[in-house]
Amino acid sequence: QALPGVPAGSRLFVGNLPPDITEEEMRKMFEKYGKAGEVFIHKDKGFGFIRLVSDQSHFFLCVPGLWGELS
């Protein structure tokens, strides 16, 4: 069940990424909250996107859970 107004396949913006993070590391961080799909990391700018594959509501719960985990 997707969140109202959040279409399936949406991408979640992730900021303040360390320059040495890999796509696999980022995917693993989010897997505890649901199935993650495509990952894009813009290493020079320190941000990325992760595609939401499973129930999007779980990804919004990860925001407080991951706060400060990458610093």
Side-chain angles (χ1 to χ4, degrees):
Q1 181 95 20
L3 288 174
V6 181
S10 293
R11 294 190 312 165
L12 178 68
F13 172 83
V14 183
N16 297 321
L17 293 173
D20 59 343
I21 192 168
T22 66
E23 290 181 9
E24 187 60 29
E25 290 170 329
M26 188 167 155
R27 186 174 286 110
K28 282 183 181 180
M29 284 191 326
F30 284 88
E31 282 181 350
K32 56 186 160 186
Y33 301 100
K35 184 171 167 73
E38 171 191 20
V39 174
F40 168 78
I41 300 172
H42 197 305
K43 293 186 181 218
D44 295 340
K45 303 284 184 176
F47 71 87
F49 294 92
I50 189 158
R51 188 165 303 277
L52 311 178
V53 175
S54 63
D55 181 359
Q56 285 86 349
S57 62
H58 292 111
F59 282 94
F60 290 96
L61 294 173
C62 76
V63 174
L66 292 175
W67 194 262
E69 189 169 311
L70 295 173
S71 46

